Amino acid sequence: DQQVKQNSPSLSVQEGRISILNCDYTNSMFDYFLWYKKYPAEGPTFLISISSIKDKNEDGRFTVFLNKSAKHLSLHIVPSQPGDSAVYFCAAISTGTASKLTFGTGTRLQVTL
Amino acid sequence: ETGVTQTPRHLVMGMTNKKSLKCEQHLGHNAMYWYKQSAKKPLELMFVYSLEERVENNSVPSRFSPECPNSSHLFLHLHTLQPEDSALYLCASSQDRRGGETQYFGPGTRLLVL
């Protein structure tokens, strides 16, 4: 059973607009969440993270929102740029148990001109 | 060279072959990981090493054999693989195994088993 789900396999957004990537999780023990970005022929690179004690974390154009009651997080990219075109993976972990990082299947973002 | 490197980047092997994947991290980290990424599936953790000791093996078939000779190097020895083992194999490292530590990934080895 997939504990981290990214239900949209792909998303297309116009340059300059907002990109919103969604992620849902089922394990209530998860308390730390990360977003990774992956370009073709490269490994995933860390983008931004959020602890469950927060509901928002911002880093430049990237903001992650966490809704613990809904077990939902989202990544907002504003404004979207062509270089943001990549696959975005959501990941979650239960820090208290040193459990493994659990990944979603990824969402492919295409930013068009 | 910086970060996490993996060689080879691409590998084609027959089911009777023996090959090894190599990973090297230049970050001074103490934990290293092997992941498998198959098409349309989440990254699957295969092995975790912390301070050169294997601490987790997620029920991976014995045809995959990891080796961690020191904290900077990690190998994945492959033998008698199956076509369904074709995938992208990613190595990652983190400062230690505490939950929440960011993992840094290598570029991966794309493996095709014929």
Side-chain angles (χ1 to χ4, degrees):
Chain A
D1 182 37
Q2 242 175 285
Q3 298 186 61
V4 178
K5 297 177 184 177
Q6 293 178 256
N7 292 316
S8 298
S10 64
L11 175 68
S12 183
V13 172
Q14 212 168 19
E15 182 181 11
R17 303 275 185 137
I18 183 171
S19 294
I20 300 177
L21 295 98
N22 294 304
C23 178
D24 296 292
Y25 61 96
T26 57
N27 188 339
S28 57
M29 298 297 291
F30 288 148
D31 59 358
Y32 194 76
F33 305 88
L34 306 91
W35 284 94
Y36 281 83
K37 172 177 165 180
K38 185 181 184 300
Y39 291 118
E42 294 183 17
T45 56
F46 170 73
L47 191 58
I48 192 169
S49 63
I50 188 167
S51 165
S52 61
I53 62 173
K54 293 185 172 183
D55 54 19
K56 177 183 174 181
N57 188 25
E58 194 171 349
D59 183 4
R61 297 185 297 113
F62 302 90
T63 304
V64 56
F65 295 92
L66 176 62
N67 182 334
K68 287 188 292 294
S69 60
K71 293 193 179 67
H72 176 84
L73 64 154
S74 60
L75 174 68
H76 292 212
I77 307 173
V78 183
S80 301
Q81 298 174 355
D84 296 327
S85 298
V87 178
Y88 290 79
F89 292 97
C90 171
I93 192 167
S94 171
T95 58
T97 61
S99 64
K100 64 179 183 179
L101 202 57
T102 302
F103 285 85
T105 51
T107 296
R108 182 177 300 278
L109 173 65
Q110 180 74 39
V111 180
T112 58
L113 298 173
Chain B
E1 200 155 3
T2 58
V4 181
T5 58
Q6 288 186 245
T7 54
R9 296 294 308 275
H10 301 271
L11 179 62
V12 180
M13 59 188 289
M15 289 190 284
T16 57
N17 291 157
K18 288 184 181 181
K19 297 285 184 184
S20 295
L21 309 185
K22 179 182 176 183
C23 175
E24 186 172 356
Q25 58 97 359
H26 310 267
L27 301 168
H29 289 166
N30 294 316
M32 296 186 77
Y33 311 79
W34 278 117
Y35 285 90
K36 174 183 177 182
Q37 186 181 21
S38 304
K40 297 182 181 176
K41 286 188 177 180
L43 271 74
E44 302 170 54
L45 180 65
M46 299 176 73
F47 300 102
V48 180
Y49 276 83
S50 179
L51 296 171
E52 300 152 49
E53 282 191 33
R54 189 161 77 189
V55 296
E56 192 164 338
N57 171 359
N58 282 344
S59 303
V60 178
S62 59
R63 56 187 185 268
F64 295 91
S65 175
E67 179 190 359
C68 188
N70 55 61
S71 60
S72 299
H73 293 85
L74 185 64
F75 295 90
L76 187 63
H77 303 298
L78 316 171
H79 63 99
T80 59
L81 293 193
Q82 305 298 311
E84 59 264 28
D85 297 322
S86 300
L88 180 68
Y89 289 85
L90 290 159
C91 172
S93 70
S94 63
Q95 186 58 54
D96 56 42
R97 264 215 82 215
R98 282 179 303 158
E101 285 290 332
T102 300
Q103 293 181 24
Y104 295 84
F105 285 83
T109 295
R110 184 152 305 274
L111 173 67
L112 177 63
V113 181
L114 300 176

